[in-house]
Amino acid sequence: MTQFTSDRLLLFGATGDLSRRMLLPSLCALDAEGLLGPDIEIIGTARSDMDDQGFRNFARESLEQFLPAGRRGSLAQFLNRLSYQPLDANDIDSFHALAEKVGTPKQGLSIFLSTAPSLFEPTIHGLEKSGLASGNVRIGLEKPLGVDLASSKVINDAVASAFPEDRIFRIDHYLGKETVQNILALRFANLMFEPLWNAAHIDHVQITVAETVGLESRVAYYDDSGALRDMVQNHMLQLLALVAMEPPVSYNATSIRNEKVKVLHSLRKVKPEETVTGQYRAGAITGKAVPGYDEELGKDSNTETFVAIKGFIDNWRWQGVPFYMRTGKRLPKRTTEIVVQFRDVPHSIFHGRGARTVPNRLVIGIQPEENITLSLMAKVPGLDRDGYGLRSVPLAITRPDAFADHQRRIAYERLLLDLIEGDQTLFVRRDEVEAQWEWIDAIRSGWEEQAQEPKTYTAGSWGPSAAIALAERDGVTWHE
Ligand code: BG6
């Protein structure tokens, strides 16, 4: 691992949406807490023609809109760290001007690249030619990194020609979320789950990432991508890997990523009938009418805005345990959660007394509710003259209550700081990305072979009824 803390940060796509909503607010919040280091300079670059002051004005507006006043600290101090250099990624002279603007870092430079896929190769080339890829430079890469295994290899090869893997930081912003990192704490800092965390004791796992938003302003990107590539290939497979991996040797980038990649390599090829795709039609979200996908897009399309998958992991621990995953736009509520459904007790002593046991269930709420709930069986108080009473009751930890004195953070705060300081643990390694794409590509070719078209669902519903049937066929109900 490269051990230097960068004193320069170069943001590509600095005037884009991600920068406005996430990156600049995250950096400002870190600075307000004194976490950025006193000398750090942040250089923004993008196509827009702007000077330093123009960028500072842009940043000020973004911060006022997207960062609560209480987290801004001394805005002037943060804005003073910012400068800007316009760039044409296809013009090598432009990169020389950029290198001049960046100057010579005292310790090192971190680059955050969120750029259109078509500009990837010229950008890497420009960085290399202008000396912005030397030994004390590391690079963070934002998605989309390709649309399939082949295109992701082209991008990864281009990056690898200029940066070694230990200086490449592939971002999956879900790994920056506290509640996602908490999966590791829950599993490996407690004794009680791990002995039960296997096919002998777990009936199935559900992973849901539901969104209420539609296309937003990302028309071109989303229609070429669809839910499978936009959400499953990255975020959902990372959640699955964290839930399913073997205990790592220690908390470091190599150990954790070694275990995740083993899970990703063990994913069984999915049959087309184990997937359901959908596309939303006009409907209502929390009482407000919303248009259908085609109408938002302005043309007909076969892109899926919903996908449900029944997956399996072919290894000793998980043999035969279904992992039901679903994600979609315009669903009834925004929620990301993981449900671990345990098996029933092998023999119930209460059976003869007319009481039924309900299997335990662990629900890990990732967002917006950050709760962990374990359902346990308990005796219903009473004298039991009409039979023994048992009821499933929740044992709940509400993170906002348990950690009320802790700041809620934007996922990118953690990721940007780790990039600046050079810790790769929460970034995705090349072999992980490629294993993810391999599994996704096989699903897509199955759809193509069968000419599978997305089923329709009404905006505000939980997707096509076939997605409900996918689980119900196995006697499983999606947790809502
Ligand atoms: C992004 C997807 O990676 O994640 C978006 O491209 C999606 O389509 C977003 O809306 C969801 O992120 P979060 O943090 O809001 O769950």
Side-chain angles (χ1 to χ4, degrees):
M1 192 183 299
T2 46
Q3 286 303 358
F4 58 85
T5 296
S6 316
D7 54 329
R8 307 271 157 102
L9 178 64
L10 173 57
L11 296 180
F12 276 78
T15 56
D17 211 45
L18 185 71
S19 172
R20 225 161 51 89
R21 288 170 183 271
M22 300 288 172
L23 305 182
L24 291 168
S26 297
L27 290 166
C28 181
L30 290 171
D31 195 27
E33 287 181 59
L35 293 168
L36 277 191
D39 298 329
I40 194 144
E41 291 175 27
I42 300 165
I43 304 103
T45 186
R47 185 179 274 277
S48 320
D49 196 12
M50 214 186 256
D51 59 10
D52 293 347
Q53 195 48 48
F55 184 52
R56 289 182 187 141
N57 294 343
F58 168 84
R60 178 191 295 278
E61 278 164 31
S62 313
L63 296 170
E64 283 167 359
Q65 200 177 346
F66 295 109
L67 187 66
R71 297 206 65 202
R72 287 182 212 147
S74 156
L75 208 51
Q77 172 189 304
F78 177 70
L79 294 176
N80 263 336
R81 299 189 186 284
L82 304 182
S83 59
Y84 183 83
Q85 177 69 34
L87 178 103
D88 173 356
N90 288 309
D91 171 14
I92 194 70
D93 289 341
S94 222
F95 281 92
H96 289 301
L98 182 63
E100 208 163 295
K101 185 88 178 181
V102 170
T104 314
K106 287 194 211 84
Q107 297 168 65
L109 168 69
S110 285
I111 299 175
F112 186 104
L113 197 59
S114 73
T115 188
S118 60
L119 296 180
F120 233 101
E121 284 186 77
T123 303
I124 298 293
H125 180 71
L127 289 173
E128 206 181 1
K129 285 278 163 290
S130 60
L132 286 171
S134 61
N136 63 348
V137 183
R138 55 175 79 99
I139 187 162
L141 304 174
E142 183 57 70
K143 64 175 269 222
L145 294 180
V147 293
D148 55 15
L149 179 60
S151 55
S152 99
K153 278 190 167 165
V154 170
I155 291 175
N156 278 319
D157 285 344
V159 182
S161 70
F163 295 88
E165 182 67 27
D166 70 351
R167 289 197 275 119
I168 302 173
F169 289 62
R170 288 179 201 82
I171 289 158
D172 183 317
H173 80 277
Y174 267 52
L175 296 180
K177 294 180 192 272
E178 278 290 345
T179 41
V180 172
Q181 293 159 36
N182 194 38
I183 298 170
L184 293 182
L186 190 71
R187 287 194 58 198
F188 304 125
N190 294 294
L191 182 68
M192 58 185 18
F193 296 116
E194 212 41 34
L196 303 180
W197 210 258
N198 54 48
H201 302 101
I202 291 178
D203 180 77
H204 72 268
V205 175
Q206 299 181 17
I207 303 177
T208 295
V209 182
E211 297 187 279
T212 53
V213 292
L215 250 184
E216 298 179 287
S217 51
R218 306 154 77 219
V219 178
Y221 158 75
Y222 194 85
D223 198 52
D224 283 345
S225 171
L228 183 71
R229 291 189 278 203
D230 184 46
M231 296 297 283
V232 184
Q233 184 272 336
N234 36 55
H235 312 320
M236 295 191 80
L237 285 184
Q238 284 293 322
L239 292 178
L240 176 138
L242 292 172
V243 168
M245 72 186 194
E246 296 301 315
V249 176
S250 61
Y251 192 102
N252 66 40
T254 306
S255 300
I256 291 181
R257 300 191 298 179
N258 282 352
E259 297 308 335
K260 281 195 294 169
V261 81
K262 279 200 258 172
V263 173
L264 297 167
H265 281 143
S266 312
L267 283 167
R268 187 187 299 170
K269 194 165 176 253
V270 174
K271 301 188 191 110
E273 61 272 22
E274 291 167 334
T275 69
V276 173
T277 53
Q279 190 188 82
Y280 62 84
R281 290 285 166 270
I285 305 279
T286 55
K288 199 170 152 266
V290 294
Y293 180 76
D294 282 355
E295 296 154 73
E296 265 184 78
L297 189 67
K299 59 174 188 186
D300 286 351
S301 160
N302 265 339
T303 299
E304 82 286 357
T305 61
F306 175 96
V307 60
I309 300 170
K310 178 177 159 186
F312 288 93
I313 299 169
D314 280 334
N315 64 14
W316 276 50
R317 185 188 282 260
W318 294 113
Q319 200 47 240
V321 178
F323 281 70
Y324 300 95
M325 288 176 263
R326 64 176 171 171
T327 183
K329 303 272 185 204
R330 293 287 192 222
L331 299 185
K333 59 176 180 180
R334 176 171 187 251
T335 180
T336 299
E337 66 172 23
I338 298 166
V339 177
V340 179
Q341 177 67 61
F342 291 92
R343 294 188 188 281
D344 205 350
V345 292
H347 167 72
S348 172
I349 61 165
F350 305 101
H351 189 66
R353 292 297 202 97
R356 202 170 66 85
T357 53
V358 177
N360 303 122
R361 166 186 274 183
L362 178 70
V363 180
I364 306 171
I366 306 283
Q367 62 185 21
E369 261 93 59
E370 305 186 340
N371 303 335
I372 295 174
T373 310
L374 178 64
S375 72
L376 296 175
M377 293 310 291
K379 180 184 181 305
V380 179
L383 299 176
D384 307 325
R385 297 300 97 179
D386 300 323
Y388 198 86
L390 278 180
R391 193 191 298 158
S392 172
V393 288
L395 183 69
I397 306 167
T398 311
R399 281 179 57 86
D401 290 350
F403 297 100
D405 52 339
H406 282 69
Q407 183 64 57
R408 273 180 94 123
R409 294 185 182 279
I410 309 168
Y412 282 93
E413 287 180 54
R414 172 68 192 238
L415 298 177
L416 283 163
L417 196 58
D418 284 355
L419 170 68
I420 289 168
E421 295 184 351
D423 183 346
Q424 287 188 304
T425 312
L426 299 177
F427 295 83
V428 186
R429 208 166 60 189
R430 178 169 182 165
D431 52 356
E432 290 180 77
V433 177
E434 295 190 345
Q436 291 172 183
W437 276 123
E438 207 173 316
W439 190 71
I440 293 292
D441 284 0
I443 296 178
R444 289 187 51 243
S445 21
W447 292 349
E448 272 156 32
E449 271 161 34
Q450 310 237 329
Q452 184 169 321
E453 289 192 5
K455 299 178 171 30
T456 58
Y457 63 97
T458 309
S461 71
W462 279 106
S465 51
I468 297 170
L470 181 74
E472 295 281 348
R473 272 203 298 273
D474 302 336
V476 169
T477 306
W478 290 104
H479 183 252
E480 267 151 36

